[in-house]
Amino acid sequence: MEGGSSPNLQLQQLPLATAAGSVQPHTDSFSYKENLIGALLAIFGHLVSSIALNLQKYSHIRLAGSKDPRAYFKTKTWWSGLFLLVLGELGVFSSYAFAPLSLIVPLSAVSVVASAIIGIIFIKEKWKPKEFLRRYVLSFVGCGLAVVGTYLLVAFGPNSHEKMTAENITRHLVSWPFLLYMLVEIIVFCLLLYFYKERNANYIVIILLLVALLGSMTVVTVKAVAGMLLVSIQGALQLDSPIFYIMLVCMVATAASQAAFLVQASQLYDSAQIASVGYILSTTAAISAGATFYLDFMGEDVLHICMFALGCLVAFLGVFLITRNRKKPVPFEPYISMDAMPGMQNMHDKGIAVQPDLKASFSYGALENNESMPEIYTPATLPIVQEQHGPKGLSAPPYRVLEHSKKE
C-alpha cells in the first residue's frame, strides 16, 4: 500500500517541481560551456563589427572629395566592411541563444576597446614618445580596465539556462515580476518622452534613457527569437507559435525606435559622450530586464552576484576613460583662407579662365600691402561725369575724380 502510493505521489509532484524549477541554474559543466560559447560569440561579433565600421569609415574618408556621392559602392573596402558587419551582427545575435542575457549585454565594451586600439594603430598624426604616452595614457588604462571587467563578467556571470520554447517564453511574459517591471518602465518612458517632446528637455541623459529603455526590450526579444530559432534547429519546431512572431515584431519596432533616438542624440552631442553614457545606461537597463524576465540571477550566491556587479563597474569605468580621451570636434574658425573661397579659385568656362589666381597668402579680413601687386590690380580711374542740379537751365559745376597713383 505504502509502496504503491509513493509513485503516485511522485507523479503528482513532478509537474509542480518542473514548473517551479524550470529556470533553476544548471550545475553541470555543460552550462558553463554554453556560457563560454555565448561569450566567445559575443566578443567575436563585437570585434568584427568594430573592424567593419572602421573599414567603412576609412572608405568614406578616402572618397570624401569625390563628385559621385555613392562612389564608395564601387570600392572593395566598403563591401568588405559590410560583409564583416553582417558577420559580426550574426555572431552577437547567435550569442543570445547560448548564454544568459545579463552576461552578453555588458560584453559590448569589446567594441569600444577595439575601436580605441584601431584608432591608435592607424593614427595619422606625428607624435613623440612622451607626448604619445601622456595623450593616450587614459586610453591604455581604460582598455586595461575594460579587459579586466570583461574577464570578471565571463567568470562570474549568471549561469541560468533553459530552453527557449514558446511555452517558457509565454510563462515569462505573463509573470508578475515582468509585468511589474513593464508597468514601471512604461510610466518612466512616458514621463521622459513628455519632458523631451513637450518641455524641450534635450539633455543627453533623458535621450539615452529613452534609448536604454527601448534597448532593454530589444535584447529581451532578441534572446527569445534567437533561442526559439536554436530550439527549432535542434528538432523541436517553434516557428509555428504566435509568440515567435510577436517577439519578432517587437524586436524590429524597438530597434527602429532606438535608432531614431540615437540619431537625434548624435545631432546634439559628441559621439564619445554618447558612447560612454549610452553604454552605462543601456547595460544597466538590459541587465534589469534580463533579471526580471528570464530570472538570470535566480539561485546565484551573493559572491557571484557581487563579483559580477564589480565586473560591470570596472567595465563602465574603462569605457568612460576610453571615450573621455577622444578628440573633440574642431570648433568654428573665425578666419577663412582666401584661396578656399569659390571666387578666388581658378574657374574655367569652356576652357577660358574667368578669374586669375592671385597666388598670394591672403586670409579673410586681413589687410595686405598692395605695393607688390601687378599693374592690372591697381584701382581703376573713374571718368568725369557732369550732372545737372537745381532749376532747369542751370548746370552744376562738374566734379572731378582724382586719379590715384600707387604712391598715394
Side-chain angles (χ1 to χ4, degrees), residues 260-306:
F261 282 111
L262 279 176
V263 170
Q264 297 176 16
S266 64
Q267 295 174 353
L268 299 174
Y269 298 97
D270 182 46
S271 60
Q273 192 176 7
I274 294 174
S276 60
V277 179
Y279 172 74
I280 295 172
L281 296 178
S282 299
T283 303
T284 305
I287 292 176
S288 302
T292 54
F293 189 87
Y294 295 107
L295 305 177
D296 287 342
F297 296 95
M298 177 175 288
E300 296 289 339
D301 54 10
V302 179
L303 177 61
H304 278 73
I305 295 177
C306 292

Side-chain angles (χ1 to χ4, degrees), residues 150-165:
T150 303
Y151 171 77
L152 293 176
L153 290 172
V154 175
F156 298 96
N159 198 35
S160 59
H161 294 270
E162 65 173 335
K163 288 187 177 295
M164 292 289 102
T165 61

Side-chain angles (χ1 to χ4, degrees), residues 191-323:
L191 288 176
L192 292 174
L193 191 62
Y194 169 76
F195 283 106
Y196 176 62
K197 294 293 185 180
E198 300 298 331
R199 300 290 181 147
N200 294 325
N202 297 327
Y203 302 108
I204 186 173
V205 176
I206 292 180
I207 302 176
L208 294 183
L209 270 176
L210 293 170
V211 174
L213 294 177
L214 289 170
S216 64
M217 292 298 100
T218 302
V219 293
V220 166
T221 53
V222 165
K223 180 171 178 59
V225 173
M228 294 178 74
L229 287 174
L230 179 62
V231 173
S232 300
I233 293 174
Q234 291 175 350
L237 184 63
Q238 303 293 321
L239 304 184
D240 56 349
S241 177
I243 192 65
F244 174 81
Y245 299 98
I246 292 175
M247 288 293 182
L248 182 62
V249 171
C250 291
M251 179 184 71
V252 175
T254 54
S257 302
Q258 184 181 357
F261 282 111
L262 279 176
V263 170
Q264 297 176 16
S266 64
Q267 295 174 353
L268 299 174
Y269 298 97
D270 182 46
S271 60
Q273 192 176 7
I274 294 174
S276 60
V277 179
Y279 172 74
I280 295 172
L281 296 178
S282 299
T283 303
T284 305
I287 292 176
S288 302
T292 54
F293 189 87
Y294 295 107
L295 305 177
D296 287 342
F297 296 95
M298 177 175 288
E300 296 289 339
D301 54 10
V302 179
L303 177 61
H304 278 73
I305 295 177
C306 292
M307 294 301 294
F308 180 81
L310 178 63
C312 289
L313 293 177
V314 172
F316 290 166
L317 181 59
V319 171
F320 174 76
L321 292 178
I322 293 173
T323 55

Side-chain angles (χ1 to χ4, degrees), residues 2 84 93 104 112 123 146 196 258 302 319 365:
E2 182 178 357
L84 291 177
F93 179 79
I104 298 300
V112 182
I123 188 171
Y196 176 62
Q258 184 181 357
V302 179
V319 171

